[in-house]
Amino acid sequence: MKPLSLVFLLSVGVPLGATTLFSDNFESYGAGNLSGQGGWTGCGSIPVGTSGALPTKVARADLGSAGCSGAFSGFGIISHSFPGSIADNVITTLSFEAYAPAGAHDAGVWLSDLGGTTFTGMQLIPDRTVPGWSLLLYQNGNPSGRISMPGGTGVPVSFQVVIDVPGQIVYAIYNFGSGAQTTSALSLAGNTTLNQWTALSIAGDYRDGLPQDQIDNITLTQTPEPSTLFLTAIIGLLVFPAVRRRRSVHIVHHRVGCPAYSISDVLNL
């Protein structure tokens, strides 16, 4: 059997070297506030419950309530830490499914520090001003970029937010029911706070009494930068056939008494 080729691996989208930092589908939790279950903590209430829009248990910001103070007064924010951070030389991908009714605003998934008095990080939220969804970046409480995605309310949708630190960009891939679409990119150049993004949050904004959304199947993964993946695949393509030849040489050595071969000899066969 021949080893998988690099072309085949890339063509089927196999995430070489992918590491899952966090994943949750809320299925094991009881009804009631998400905070206090499975390592989630926070202020305010984001209940866990079933939904007519998404088929399984979900985090329901639409049934939540405020409880945070300071800069986040009027919000409910339930957070979960993850190991590591948004590091150099890796691509971090945040995936989740959501449902937001028409007019929903400012709820959603945040990737941030949440440790200070001002917001640093990323939000993907329903935005009634679009109307639709928005991807926003903040640094020390100041907005540093926004991408609008019109549509996607009133139906189940899915998102991937790709934080490409080697490429110094962030963008979203979304599916509103007619196939995957990719947004333009926001620049990460000059952002000095990425290693502070160490928490995932589900948030609701209850200040204006507007509808909120529901969130399910959150996953956070990291993969090495493409050049590292390419090198790993190339090494595999070179070494696997060499190992097979080495085994053949080893068999011949025992059968006919040939001298032993070194690994450098094998790699040069």
Side-chain angles (χ1 to χ4, degrees), residues 120-131:
T120 289
M122 178 225 81
Q123 301 173 344
L124 204 159
I125 59 174
D127 187 346
R128 67 185 176 97
T129 64
V130 173

Side-chain angles (χ1 to χ4, degrees), residues 253-269:
H253 166 65
H254 282 285
R255 287 181 179 174
V256 300
C258 294
Y261 283 77
S262 69
I263 187 62
S264 60
D265 294 326
V266 173
L267 291 174
N268 287 309
L269 288 176

Side-chain angles (χ1 to χ4, degrees), residues 43-173:
C43 47
S45 172
I46 305 288
V48 175
T50 56
S51 164
L54 299 170
T56 57
K57 285 184 180 179
V58 299
R60 298 200 59 168
D62 63 322
L63 299 179
S65 60
C68 300
S69 59
F72 302 106
S73 179
F75 285 80
I77 304 173
I78 310 299
S79 304
H80 201 298
S81 61
F82 55 87
S85 62
I86 309 304
D88 292 339
N89 302 319
V90 295
I91 297 171
T92 302
T93 302
L94 169 65
S95 305
F96 66 93
E97 297 170 4
Y99 173 82
H105 191 59
D106 276 2
V109 178
W110 299 2
L111 184 60
S112 63
D113 64 343
L114 288 183
T117 58
T118 58
F119 183 78
T120 289
M122 178 225 81
Q123 301 173 344
L124 204 159
I125 59 174
D127 187 346
R128 67 185 176 97
T129 64
V130 173
W133 293 77
S134 286
L135 173 66
L136 302 99
L137 292 182
Y138 283 84
Q139 186 168 204
N140 299 321
N142 298 312
S144 59
R146 174 191 292 264
I147 294 173
S148 295
M149 292 162 272
T153 58
V155 294
V157 295
S158 62
F159 294 98
Q160 289 182 308
V161 180
V162 181
I163 305 164
D164 183 349
V165 178
Q168 288 288 280
I169 57 173
V170 58
Y171 59 93
I173 302 170

Side-chain angles (χ1 to χ4, degrees), residues 110-261:
W110 299 2
L111 184 60
S112 63
D113 64 343
L114 288 183
T117 58
T118 58
F119 183 78
T120 289
M122 178 225 81
Q123 301 173 344
L124 204 159
I125 59 174
D127 187 346
R128 67 185 176 97
T129 64
V130 173
W133 293 77
S134 286
L135 173 66
L136 302 99
L137 292 182
Y138 283 84
Q139 186 168 204
N140 299 321
N142 298 312
S144 59
R146 174 191 292 264
I147 294 173
S148 295
M149 292 162 272
T153 58
V155 294
V157 295
S158 62
F159 294 98
Q160 289 182 308
V161 180
V162 181
I163 305 164
D164 183 349
V165 178
Q168 288 288 280
I169 57 173
V170 58
Y171 59 93
I173 302 170
Y174 62 95
N175 190 336
F176 290 168
S178 58
Q181 306 290 324
T182 302
T183 68
S184 58
L186 296 174
S187 174
L188 293 173
N191 193 310
T192 60
T193 62
L194 293 177
N195 62 356
Q196 299 173 28
W197 300 10
T198 57
L200 270 168
S201 302
I202 299 172
D205 179 358
Y206 306 104
R207 294 172 298 177
D208 299 321
L210 296 171
Q212 305 293 290
D213 62 4
Q214 306 169 12
I215 303 295
D216 200 10
N217 297 324
I218 299 179
T219 302
L220 189 70
T221 61
Q222 285 186 333
T223 56
E225 62 178 314
S227 60
T228 303
L229 293 177
F230 183 80
L231 179 60
T232 301
I234 291 297
I235 291 173
L237 293 176
L238 292 175
V239 171
F240 291 165
V243 169
R244 294 180 66 210
R245 289 196 294 269
R246 175 66 182 88
R247 293 176 62 190
S248 299
V249 169
H250 185 68
I251 293 171
V252 171
H253 166 65
H254 282 285
R255 287 181 179 174
V256 300
C258 294
Y261 283 77

